[in-house]
Amino acid sequence: MIPFVKDITFEYGACDQVSPLIRRVVANNPGPFTFLGTGTYIIGKGQVAVIDPGPDLDDHLEAILAATAGETITDILITHHHADHSPLAGPLKARTGARIHGCPPSRIGAADGVVVEADEDESFRPEIVIRGGEIIRGPGWTLEAVATPGHTLNHICFALHEENALFSGDHIMGWST
């Protein structure tokens, strides 16, 4: 039996300091695929990156903006284009001017009407297309894109070099296989 750790202490709308360079805000979208809610991660201090802004929920957008008050969000990084990870990227960009990075959705099978991705964010279009091995930098932080197709065809993880941490999106989930 795999000993899944399901205990997590948080409050919706609050920002938790996870490590010196990582903060987390959990979206209020609990469910069978999101567990207690989508984790949005803020990387750095001063000039920051946001990984997976989450679902298009006004209260979650305001929570991210409150968590980064007095700072500049320079980059928005998307692990994949599911409805619980990427839809808030556009509204967050509109409020901050940050650049949206990600791997564009694949349209395999789209010509014959077959949908290969469940619950996808059909409007997701990154303005900066990234591939595995590419680097996104800010003051005091370095994120490397790690191509991990599987959960979705366009899935990308992000490795934070300074803390030897990996942001896996839904590629690895702590409560299921």
Side-chain angles (χ1 to χ4, degrees), residues 20-147:
L21 288 176
I22 304 168
R23 291 171 276 169
R24 179 190 61 230
V25 179
V26 178
N28 191 357
N29 66 329
F33 297 109
T34 59
F35 190 42
L36 299 173
T38 302
T40 296
Y41 294 91
I42 302 163
I43 310 304
K45 297 175 184 172
Q47 293 183 4
V48 302
V50 171
I51 299 175
D52 287 343
D56 192 1
L57 300 172
D58 290 339
D59 60 339
H60 191 57
L61 174 61
E62 294 306 321
I64 294 168
L65 293 171
T68 57
E71 297 180 295
T72 301
I73 299 173
T74 58
D75 300 278
I76 301 167
L77 288 74
I78 305 299
T79 59
H80 64 294
H81 71 294
H82 277 170
D84 56 333
H85 286 259
S86 61
L88 200 60
L92 185 59
K93 176 187 177 48
R95 295 281 295 272
T96 65
R99 303 168 294 217
I100 301 172
H101 304 257
C103 185
S106 174
R107 296 293 177 222
I108 294 175
D112 58 13
V114 176
V115 176
V116 295
E117 300 288 357
D119 199 26
E120 68 180 32
D121 173 10
E122 293 182 18
S123 66
F124 176 64
R125 300 290 180 278
E127 61 186 301
I128 300 174
V129 173
I130 56 174
R131 305 281 186 244
E134 293 189 29
I135 302 290
I136 300 105
R137 285 188 171 87
W141 54 267
T142 308
L143 289 163
E144 180 178 351
V146 180

